[in-house]
Amino acid sequence: AQSVTQLDSQVPVFEEAPVELRCNYSSSVSVYLFWYVQYPNQGLQLLLKYLSGSTLVESINGFEAEFNKSQTSFHLRKPSVHISDTAEYFCAVILRGPGGSYIPTFGRGTSLIVHP
Amino acid sequence: DTGVSQDPRHKITKRGQNVTFRCDPISEHNRLYWYRQTLGQGPEFLTYFQNEAQLEKSRLLSDRFSAERPKGSFSTLEIQRTEQGDSAMYLCASSKKTGTSGREQETQYFGPGTRLLVL
């Protein structure tokens, strides 16, 4: 069975500092990878995704993630965070298995807390 | 607003009662997904539909849980004989069939969720 591990449940950081939120997954077959963000009292929003092609993907608000197949990782990074980035971040994997099985799996989430 | 909508947003019920939640996907999306999210956890996949066909339901939590999408548009999730452990946020998401790349259908857009409290 596939699994998604977000190694840090909480990441405190000061404003304008860089940040990395880690995500590892267990599957070695074809995967699609996503980061979703959940701001306080709001629903899940897609932040960025890797479906195919370039392994480095970027979002419109300065986040980026790199698909590393050999390390089965999809870490999320931002060079300089803002107070408004404070939110819960979820890594998700969709595995396309043999026989057409389809099980999206989410990590437990990482709470990014940006301090002034 | 043309996003995914869910109704009701909140539901309080007594143990043993049945509850039904509704999800309206984005209009051009033919896939619809249901998840459960408990405090401190990520969304847990329950089931999904492509049009009216339920293609994966092995992750429904028990036979008390069922979902339908009779006309391939809105969907309902029913929980029979609710238990206190069913208290959670129930999320719905949708995705479109294909773009220029068939992989585009994997991008899911989430609704605001229905928060269930079973007393």
Side-chain angles (χ1 to χ4, degrees):
Chain A
Q2 67 185 49
S3 67
V4 177
T5 303
Q6 290 185 244
L7 296 167
D8 305 298
S9 60
Q10 203 173 78
V11 173
V13 64
F14 286 107
E15 193 174 19
E16 297 183 6
V19 71
E20 178 180 82
L21 306 184
R22 295 179 290 173
C23 173
N24 288 86
Y25 60 93
S26 64
S27 174
S28 61
V29 297
S30 297
V31 294
Y32 307 109
L33 299 156
F34 303 81
W35 276 99
Y36 283 85
V37 59
Q38 188 170 31
Y39 298 103
N41 300 314
Q42 294 188 27
L44 283 159
Q45 301 175 31
L46 178 68
L47 185 60
L48 46 74
K49 60 188 176 185
Y50 169 78
L51 302 178
S52 66
S54 172
T55 57
L56 182 66
V57 290
E58 299 177 351
S59 72
I60 59 173
N61 57 352
F63 283 93
E64 65 178 31
E66 185 161 19
F67 169 49
N68 189 320
K69 188 175 182 179
S70 62
Q71 297 185 4
T72 60
S73 68
F74 192 55
H75 301 330
L76 182 69
R77 302 182 181 95
K78 188 171 185 179
S80 176
V81 294
H82 301 286
I83 295 286
S84 60
D85 293 324
T86 294
E88 193 81 14
Y89 291 80
F90 293 95
C91 181
V93 172
I94 295 178
L95 168 67
R96 299 308 302 230
S101 63
Y102 181 99
I103 307 292
T105 303
F106 280 72
R108 295 182 61 175
T110 297
S111 180
L112 175 63
I113 303 170
V114 182
H115 296 287
Chain B
D1 184 12
T2 57
V4 178
S5 61
Q6 293 186 244
D7 183 70
R9 295 291 305 275
H10 303 273
K11 178 70 177 180
I12 300 174
T13 191
K14 292 182 179 179
R15 186 164 50 111
Q17 297 295 304
N18 299 344
V19 294
T20 301
F21 308 140
R22 175 180 171 127
C23 171
D24 287 87
I26 294 171
S27 59
E28 67 267 27
H29 287 189
N30 73 327
R31 282 192 170 186
L32 187 149
Y33 313 80
W34 284 101
Y35 294 82
R36 182 180 77 163
Q37 185 177 20
T38 54
L39 200 60
Q41 302 293 323
E44 178 184 11
F45 173 73
L46 298 178
T47 186
Y48 90 105
F49 295 84
Q50 181 156 307
N51 300 313
E52 65 275 8
Q54 191 172 11
L55 298 187
E56 177 63 62
K57 54 183 179 180
S58 65
R59 298 303 177 97
L60 285 168
L61 300 164
S62 76
D63 58 7
R64 298 183 297 105
F65 287 72
S66 64
E68 293 183 342
R69 196 184 183 198
K71 297 182 179 178
S73 56
F74 74 90
S75 176
T76 56
L77 177 70
E78 182 182 17
I79 309 174
Q80 296 181 328
R81 306 181 302 281
T82 53
E83 302 173 356
Q84 288 182 325
D86 297 333
S87 295
M89 178 75 87
Y90 290 85
L91 301 172
C92 176
S94 69
S95 66
K96 61 184 175 181
K97 183 178 181 181
T98 58
T100 54
S101 163
R103 299 181 182 91
E104 192 56 41
Q105 67 188 354
E106 312 296 357
T107 302
Q108 300 180 28
Y109 298 87
F110 283 81
T114 294
R115 186 172 295 281
L116 172 66
L117 177 61
V118 182
L119 301 175

